[in-house]
Amino acid sequence: MLLRLALLGGFAAACNASVDRAEPTYHRDIAPILADNCVECHRPGGVGPFSFTTYEEVAPLAATIAAVTGERSMPPFNLDNSGACNTYVGARWLDEGDIATLAAWAQAGAPAGEPAEEAPEPPAPWQLDRVDLTLAMPEPYTPDETADDVYRCFVLDPRLREDAFVVAFAIRLGRAEMVHHLTLYALDDGEDEAEAAALDEADAGPGYTCFGDPLVPSRWLVGAGSSDRGGRLPAGTGLRMGAGRKAVLQMHYNRMHGTFPDQTAIDLQLAASVPHEAFIKRVEDAYLELPAGEPAVVETDTREMHENFTLWGVWPHMHELGRQLRVTASSPDGEACLARVDDYQFHWQQFAFYEEPRHVRAGDTLRITCTYDTTGRDTTTTWGYGTADEMCIGFFYVTEGLVGAGE
Ligand code: HEC
């Protein structure tokens, strides 16, 4: 905290020169920024540690808020959304102007100002206009109390008679204050299903323990943080669910606000066909050998493309030592940036969809570079599924061919 306050002093002083208007006040300037960007999590029962809905709650935290927004650790979003390397649909990302306003307000001593007639409301929750299939945990599950973070996978049976495509989804959380995020995966063959069933069987209680992903070959279908109510996949695209195939729901529970029985459900909107079937492709470096005790261990690998693809979204994935991640594409035209993460937090796992889908062509080379901080380790860290293992993956949501932009 001391460090943050010190940083803030320098930052706010630098900004004051450029903020050319009356001192910001809570009611006029700050409450709307918080309602739009923070209150979905920082409210009673939300995933954030404190509520930001009244002046009395917010004012004592003014300096901390200025510090975390100035260093962009809040609102949480792993990818750079500045425009230097893409921008993303619905990104949790503050404008430079809002960051400067929060800093100037803290610097001015957090004045309240005149209360507005109506307090600003956070954006309305997402709703699905039609539900075709609901997948729910078969019974309530109460996380084990030995760990703060619990990752649990549940095998679900969608009972589809024909293949269908997920195009949109809505989440109905059992206990929102305990769910950090969830991910639904499709299983594509009987062997993978048998492996998941065996993991389930071997673990007492509903479901099985799983960190990072379901521990069996699987495909991402939907994902959401505790404050996301759902969403729509990019227009014209969808992800296949196979007839008769199983699915795995991975829940990440955080017990910061207590331990409760949770039974979460996901409503899906399906289409019998979509113009462009989407696939999850990955570029990864799976041969990790990270020596202990180094602040910046860099690993990199490439993948050559043999077909044209449209990239609609990206999900950067490392575990707890991951700090930076980059994916670039090189072609005869030069190098293009596909994903950039400057301050990776394992906590914030999600797909982010590009505002402008990207194209890669046969012959292009994708390169992933991951940087790790191993100063807290005393043995070599290698690739694996465990909390103490590492990964280096860029998952991409792709369709075949060059879609959009008149091509
Ligand atoms: C998606 C949910 C989410 C959103 C949106 C969000 N936060 Fe948070 N915030 C959290 C969680 C969870 C924590 C506690 C875990 C952590 O520190 O990473 C947290 C922690 C914090 C902390 C304490 C951090 C510390 O290290 O002391 C501050 C301050 C904060 N948030 C401010 C904000 C502000 C300001 C915004 C909006 C600009 C915001 N948050 C948006 C979820 C969120």
Side-chain angles (χ1 to χ4, degrees), residues 21-34 98 101-102:
R21 60 180 184 131
E23 212 164 69
T25 67
Y26 173 78
H27 291 292
R28 189 188 57 218
D29 305 289
I30 303 304
I33 298 176
L34 301 181
D98 288 344
T101 303
L102 291 165

Side-chain angles (χ1 to χ4, degrees), residues 105-117:
W105 181 64
Q107 187 76 0
E114 284 301 310
E117 285 191 1

Side-chain angles (χ1 to χ4, degrees), residues 4 37-38 40-42 47-50 52 64-65 68-69 74-76 92 94 227 348:
R4 288 209 162 129
N37 298 284
C38 318
E40 56 167 328
C41 299
H42 291 278
V47 68
F50 19 65
F52 288 161
T64 313
I65 290 172
V68 297
T69 53
M74 283 286 148
R92 290 196 170 100
L94 286 178
S227 57
W348 312 114

Side-chain angles (χ1 to χ4, degrees), residues 311-330:
L311 311 185
W312 299 86
V314 60
W315 175 356
H317 185 67
M318 302 180 284
H319 288 175
E320 291 169 346
L321 306 181
R323 292 297 177 268
Q324 281 98 40
L325 183 146
R326 297 269 187 286
V327 185
T328 55
S330 40

